[in-house]
Amino acid sequence: MSTKGELSSKKSKSTTENSLPSSVAFVHNFLDEYGLDPYEFRLYAHIVRRTGGKPQGVCFASLRKTAEICKMSTRKAQQAIKVLINAHFVTQTKRTGRTDEYRVTPVSEWVPKEELDEIRKAIAGNSHKKSVSTEAETKTIES
């Protein structure tokens, strides 16, 4: 015979199990095979979740918090979001004194996947140029 405590434990366990979905994600092969790197893919998945996948949905979490949730450095998140913006996966609305807003865009607006590597190179080139000029400025100041 079951005790009251055992029944309560069984009831809460089955309630918890029943409230969980059997599957939590479906990734269309179009996205899966598009060519996003793991950081871009993870960040895109997070933005889609936060916006509900709807163009009118808005993600406005800080980049630091987003990076933390996505288990990546803030720098990696910055690079990934730049690729997603330039590839038209998301749009960014700058807000002075507040976090930026991100919205997902329709697939029809995405750049062709063949352009992703060029976008990444351009972003890496801009980052490198900024680093080099900052180092040069620092050396000038120190002299």
Side-chain angles (χ1 to χ4, degrees):
M1 189 165 163
S2 297
T3 66
K4 190 175 181 180
E6 289 174 345
L7 286 175
S8 175
S9 174
K10 286 179 185 177
K11 186 176 179 182
S12 65
K13 184 177 179 182
S14 69
T15 302
T16 304
E17 288 173 358
N18 290 338
S19 64
L20 294 174
S22 61
S23 176
V24 294
F26 169 79
V27 177
H28 196 281
N29 69 317
F30 186 76
L31 173 61
D32 193 36
E33 298 170 4
Y34 205 81
L36 296 178
D37 76 16
Y39 297 100
E40 296 156 1
F41 188 92
R42 177 64 182 101
L43 193 61
Y44 181 70
H46 179 73
I47 292 169
V48 168
R49 180 185 69 80
R50 298 289 292 248
T51 63
K54 298 174 176 80
Q56 68 273 20
V58 180
C59 173
F60 51 85
S62 72
L63 197 57
R64 183 192 56 75
K65 184 66 176 172
T66 298
E68 182 182 311
I69 290 168
C70 293
K71 304 291 187 216
M72 64 180 76
S73 69
T74 303
R75 183 72 191 124
K76 281 288 187 186
Q78 287 171 330
Q79 291 171 332
I81 197 69
K82 285 178 184 178
V83 171
L84 294 175
I85 292 165
N86 284 290
H88 305 283
F89 277 68
V90 299
T91 59
Q92 177 186 41
T93 303
K94 297 250 183 210
R95 302 188 309 167
T96 306
R98 302 177 77 189
T99 58
D100 295 344
E101 292 180 345
Y102 300 96
R103 290 179 172 77
V104 295
T105 58
V107 173
S108 60
E109 294 182 24
W110 296 0
V111 301
K113 61 184 173 182
E114 296 79 20
E115 294 180 28
L116 286 174
D117 283 336
E118 287 302 316
I119 290 169
R120 289 186 193 109
K121 286 176 188 174
I123 290 168
N126 288 340
S127 296
H128 181 69
K129 286 177 187 174
K130 287 179 183 174
S131 297
V132 170
S133 66
T134 303
E135 289 171 16
E137 290 168 4
T138 302
K139 287 179 184 175
T140 304
I141 293 169
E142 290 174 356
S143 299

